[in-house]
Amino acid sequence: MLSPTTLARSSLEEMLESLRLRDNSDRPKDLPPALPSRPPSRARIRSGRWSAQPNFNNDSNSESGGEGQRKENELRVKRNTFWNKKRRKDVNVNSPYNVVAVEGIEGEERMEETGVLEGSDNIGYFIEKKLRVWCRQSNGVWVSGTIHSTSGEESFVSLANGNVVKVSTCHLFPANPEILDGVDDLMHLSYLNEPTVFHNLKYRYFRDMIYSKAGPILIAVNPFKDVQINGKDIVTTYKQKATDKPHVFAIAENAYNEMMNDGVNQSLMISGESGAGKTETAKFAVQYLAALGGGNVGIECQILQTSCILEAFGNSKTSMNDNSSRFGKLIEIHFTAAGKICGSKIRTFLLEKQSRVVQLAAGERSYHIFYQLCAGAPQALRERLNLKMAKEYNYLAQSDCLVINGVDDAQRFLKFMETLDIFQISKGEQDQAFAMLAAVLWLGNISFHAIDYENHVEASNDEALINAARMIGCESHELKEALSARRIQTEEGNIVEKFTMSQAIDTRDALAKFIYASLFDWLVEQINNLLEVGKQHTGWSISILDIYGFESFKKNSFEQFCINYANERLQQHFNRHVFKLEQEEYELDGIDGVKVDFADNQECLDLFEKKPIGLLSLLDEDLHSPDANDATLANKLKQNLNGMACFKGDKGRVFGVRHFAGEVLYNTNGGAITTV
């Protein structure tokens, strides 16, 4: 049952290493990373910033449309000198809704000048024309209004509800005209700042338009309801190119076309917070590619069915999401020269174990499969496993959350069993898999009692120990010995070191996590064996990366430390290809465009990766030191890393890392890094 992949290098390490080599190969440490090579594709990433702007005039009401056009023309003329600092040029002088190209502006100064009202002329113009502005309330909510008057560096803003608030003038942001509300591409907005982005997404969201674009990027907002966006009729609409509205189907279509036209492998990266809808978005992308590559028969159907197994073993209920993926995956779909799907491969990484298998936060559940097994196992299987209800297992009952509203775990288990048959997993292998699940549950019920006055303990000879040993396939006394002490080989013979209570519990939990992780790897291996690439494989593929977004919870584990590091690496890879490669394209084509400045997170990556002095190197060094403990790790990190910009030493065993998405404090207490 143990997969050989558990002993090999993880697929996440391989992926991060490939990105590191691609982005950083042979570059001096004192220079910025080298640009990735320009792809040979004829249809490279297109920028929404320079794209043609739509005509928003309302033909049904030419008078109102003309008035709006006149006002916007006035606004455009004023915008040429709006910020009174830098020279600007219009991309299209005939369009009042163009995006202003800004020359000679760098870093934060550019963001400020393109988003914040400055100068008495600007304020006066907005007061005279009664143009809307955005201001942030004390509770952090953005509200719109018009400037009533000013006094020094403060302005009085009249809100829609009639209230007048006093705000700092430098914190006012220009609002777009109402005619631009709900545009499908954020690049079409006259003013692009935080409140205008939020307002546009909110406007579309409440009209069930959950997809928006920001140039080449698709933004998806989880509707938390069925909005009928992925039916067969919608698939047909996009296949026939009958619409160009933002949709994950359109993104998948573009990837497929570029692969077929240019013979270049494509990839889709999906990221976001827990509950944002990453897993569903990935399934929609796979659904559309399956439709393009042959329909819903044969291997295409099997690819779509993988989600049933992966979600049962890799998803759980969290405080943010009832069906949260607690692992990352890379789905590779391979095609023939004719564009038909000929195989697939799934790579998984970062499966949560500590905070999902053996420990649960209040209101959260462990992996779905445990509850499905307890609720839906047939009588014969229940007897073989001596299976009880979920509430009788410590690992499951500790969070006081055993069911999900509207979800029938027993019915889900029947569907899961049918899917195992589709993937040709034999009845014998299925029984072994269920035995391993039962072993994990029974391990959690094993208790320990003291055996001497030195706080040493041993496992109790009870139902849990007997059942766990039977499921694993060993004698109960062998399991008892393994959980109560360890043997150390020396030149003089074996030394038996008895465990304390905390050591025994840690050993029991480590065994449970290892069994579950190995079972998960084995299942993925069985899926990949069935989806193996056929003989007509051309080497062309489309990969879909569905990974955790940046995480910073109230209580996190070492897993969040790894997740945030992976996101740092992916964020830099994204920045390089979306920003730097885009700018290189315009330079090569002789287009006079804008230099886009963005925050490079190389310093944070150096903090993690630098050898021999870096977070990962120092952690690895401490793991191999016999005298190391939580305190020595914290002290070692502070002594060696305090001079690095993204590191923050703190009191006791706490240290901080300034990630691209925010600062996180980590605590080394407990033998593993835990955030506070």
Side-chain angles (χ1 to χ4, degrees), residues 206-392:
F206 282 109
R207 288 159 180 79
D208 289 340
M209 296 182 288
I210 69 167
Y211 292 120
S212 304
K213 291 194 299 185
I217 303 167
L218 180 72
I219 302 173
V221 183
N222 193 339
F224 289 101
K225 64 178 181 179
D226 187 2
V227 293
Q228 301 297 325
I229 58 174
N230 67 316
K232 291 183 179 180
D233 55 336
I234 305 296
V235 171
T236 302
T237 299
Y238 279 89
K239 286 180 65 177
Q240 296 176 348
K241 297 179 174 57
T243 181
D244 60 353
K245 293 181 179 180
H247 199 290
V248 66
F249 291 168
I251 298 294
E253 172 87 25
N254 290 340
Y256 181 83
N257 290 339
E258 291 208 16
M259 178 192 70
M260 295 303 299
N261 293 337
D262 302 306
V264 177
N265 291 344
Q266 304 293 313
S267 60
L268 308 177
M269 189 176 79
I270 304 172
S271 184
E273 290 188 354
S274 179
K278 299 184 296 299
T279 298
E280 292 301 313
T281 300
K283 287 195 292 187
F284 292 164
V286 171
Q287 172 192 355
Y288 191 77
L289 292 175
L292 291 176
N296 293 324
V297 296
I299 194 169
E300 296 84 11
C301 181
Q302 292 170 340
I303 293 174
L304 294 174
Q305 291 291 333
T306 59
S307 61
C308 180
I309 296 178
L310 294 178
E311 288 186 17
F313 271 82
N315 288 24
S316 67
K317 180 187 183 304
T318 68
S319 59
M320 302 286 291
N321 184 1
D322 286 349
N323 187 34
S324 177
S325 295
R326 307 318 302 162
F327 70 105
K329 63 178 178 291
L330 181 71
I331 305 172
E332 298 177 4
I333 302 178
H334 298 266
F335 297 84
T336 66
K340 300 300 181 181
I341 293 178
C342 61
S344 181
K345 183 177 181 180
I346 299 174
R347 301 182 184 182
T348 61
F349 34 80
L350 289 175
L351 176 71
E352 267 190 356
K353 298 182 289 293
Q354 178 69 26
S355 57
R356 196 59 51 186
V357 177
V358 301
Q359 293 179 5
L360 294 176
E364 298 191 350
R365 297 207 317 178
S366 184
Y367 290 107
H368 294 325
I369 188 61
F370 289 120
Y371 307 89
Q372 293 173 4
L373 176 66
C374 292
Q379 186 60 35
L381 179 60
R382 301 188 71 87
E383 293 177 356
R384 284 199 301 272
L385 304 180
N386 197 14
L387 199 62
K388 299 181 180 295
M389 300 306 295
K391 64 181 180 181
E392 298 183 62

Side-chain angles (χ1 to χ4, degrees), residues 541-552:
S541 67
I542 298 177
S543 298
I544 302 171
L545 178 64
D546 175 12
I547 193 173
Y548 303 93
F550 179 84
E551 292 189 351
S552 181

Side-chain angles (χ1 to χ4, degrees), residues 130-158:
K130 297 183 179 180
L131 301 178
R132 292 187 305 155
V133 296
W134 289 101
C135 60
R136 194 195 296 268
Q137 294 180 302
S138 58
N139 61 1
V141 176
W142 289 102
V143 292
S144 66
T146 57
I147 303 175
H148 181 270
S149 61
T150 62
S151 177
E153 296 182 353
E154 295 180 329
S155 294
F156 296 88
V157 179
S158 298

Side-chain angles (χ1 to χ4, degrees), residues 32-33 106-111 567-580 583 595-605 646 658-662:
E106 299 180 356
E108 295 181 359
E109 183 181 0
R110 177 184 177 278
M111 292 300 296
N567 272 274
E568 290 286 354
R569 171 53 61 185
L570 292 172
Q571 179 69 21
Q572 188 184 70
H573 187 70
F574 173 84
N575 286 344
R576 299 277 171 76
H577 283 263
V578 171
F579 295 118
K580 290 195 173 183
Q583 292 174 174
K595 286 290 185 180
V596 179
D597 294 286
F598 58 93
D600 195 340
N601 61 342
Q602 183 61 48
E603 285 187 339
C604 188
L605 285 173
C646 292
R658 296 183 181 92
H659 293 281
F660 77 93

Side-chain angles (χ1 to χ4, degrees), residues 498-661:
K498 297 178 182 179
F499 288 157
T500 63
M501 180 65 76
S502 61
Q503 290 174 326
I505 292 175
D506 288 344
T507 301
R508 178 200 65 189
D509 292 347
L511 178 59
K513 292 184 292 183
F514 176 78
I515 291 174
Y516 191 81
S518 299
L519 178 59
F520 183 79
D521 289 341
W522 177 81
L523 275 171
V524 173
E525 187 177 329
Q526 304 312 302
I527 292 174
N528 285 333
N529 289 340
L530 183 64
L531 301 179
E532 187 176 6
V533 177
K535 295 180 180 179
Q536 295 180 325
H537 175 44
T538 62
W540 298 351
S541 67
I542 298 177
S543 298
I544 302 171
L545 178 64
D546 175 12
I547 193 173
Y548 303 93
F550 179 84
E551 292 189 351
S552 181
F553 301 144
K554 183 177 180 180
K555 290 184 178 180
N556 298 314
S557 69
F558 177 66
E559 289 152 348
Q560 275 64 52
F561 180 85
C562 296
I563 288 168
N564 291 341
Y565 162 56
N567 272 274
E568 290 286 354
R569 171 53 61 185
L570 292 172
Q571 179 69 21
Q572 188 184 70
H573 187 70
F574 173 84
N575 286 344
R576 299 277 171 76
H577 283 263
V578 171
F579 295 118
K580 290 195 173 183
L581 185 59
E582 181 82 351
Q583 292 174 174
E584 183 191 54
E585 177 182 332
Y586 287 114
E587 292 173 0
L588 292 174
D589 290 342
I591 298 175
D592 187 10
V594 175
K595 286 290 185 180
V596 179
D597 294 286
F598 58 93
D600 195 340
N601 61 342
Q602 183 61 48
E603 285 187 339
C604 188
L605 285 173
D606 289 340
L607 173 63
F608 277 89
E609 299 172 354
K610 190 175 180 180
K611 295 180 180 181
I613 305 299
L615 283 171
L616 297 177
S617 294
L618 294 174
L619 177 59
D620 185 62
E621 180 181 298
D622 235 39
L623 287 173
H624 291 85
S625 174
D627 299 324
N629 54 47
D630 302 340
T632 60
L633 173 61
N635 291 333
K636 178 179 289 187
L637 296 179
K638 294 174 186 178
Q639 290 173 4
N640 290 278
L641 303 176
N642 262 336
M644 300 191 71
C646 292
F647 183 85
K648 176 184 176 182
D650 213 305
K651 298 178 180 179
R653 301 175 183 180
V654 177
F655 67 92
V657 175
R658 296 183 181 92
H659 293 281
F660 77 93

